[in-house]
Amino acid sequence: MSEISTELVVPGVGQLVSLDEPREVALAIDAIRDLEFQLRAAKQDLTRALVHASQQEGSKTLRYEGVEVVVKGGSATHYDAAEIYTGLIDAGMSAERAGEIVKHTVTQKVDASQAKRAASANPEYAAVIYAHTTTIDVPHSVSVSRKGSS
């Protein structure tokens, strides 16, 4: 049976820590937290660089030799579906047409393309739709996939 180690080399820090020495363990944890902060900051900078590259390319999917990058996030549009539906009916739209725009499911959801079509066709519909529409900033994230041999 092998003996349980009482020492640990801290990855990323390279420090050999005696697990029997609480002061050393505490200092190692502090060093790891500092490294985590630095790595998060570096990851944010690298993510911003890839977001910028995707904006320059005009594509959220970037392909390079042996790697594929997919950028997510930016902004998301939120519709107040109930208010849009009621407002469209009040503005004179038929319930059938309003139902094509605001899909009736367990929760109401606005069909963005139909809402845009209705808004472009009638200023009153546009006023209702835009009064109950918000754009939300969503943090960017990047997924990286390695392709081919490592």
Side-chain angles (χ1 to χ4, degrees):
M1 187 174 219
S2 64
E3 195 173 312
I4 296 175
S5 176
T6 59
E7 294 181 324
L8 173 73
V9 176
V10 181
V13 176
Q15 178 182 359
L16 180 64
V17 176
S18 172
L19 300 177
D20 295 327
E21 295 293 330
R23 181 179 183 280
E24 285 185 33
V25 172
L27 290 172
I29 287 174
D30 189 52
I32 289 170
R33 287 184 179 140
D34 182 53
L35 180 60
E36 284 177 327
F37 175 79
Q38 293 174 36
L39 290 172
R40 279 191 194 98
K43 183 179 175 184
Q44 287 174 346
D45 290 342
L46 295 170
T47 297
R48 278 192 289 272
L50 287 172
V51 168
H52 179 73
S54 79
Q55 290 169 341
Q56 293 296 107
E57 290 289 326
S59 174
K60 289 196 169 198
T61 302
L62 305 172
R63 291 179 180 85
Y64 304 105
E65 184 178 333
V67 67
E68 179 178 279
V69 176
V70 178
V71 175
K72 298 175 188 153
S75 65
T77 301
H78 171 75
Y79 298 95
D80 185 334
E83 289 295 328
I84 290 173
Y85 183 81
T86 302
L88 292 173
I89 299 293
D90 291 347
M93 183 180 278
S94 71
E96 182 180 343
R97 179 67 179 121
E100 292 173 354
I101 296 167
V102 179
K103 302 295 183 180
H104 290 278
T105 58
V106 175
T107 59
Q108 292 179 322
K109 179 182 176 187
V110 174
D111 182 320
S113 64
Q114 292 296 327
K116 287 177 187 174
R117 286 180 60 201
S120 67
N122 183 314
E124 287 184 67
Y125 300 163
V128 169
I129 291 168
Y130 296 135
H132 302 288
T133 302
T134 56
T135 300
I136 302 164
D137 286 330
V138 178
H140 287 100
S141 65
V142 173
S143 65
V144 177
S145 304
R146 294 184 187 264
K147 303 293 180 187
S149 61
S150 298

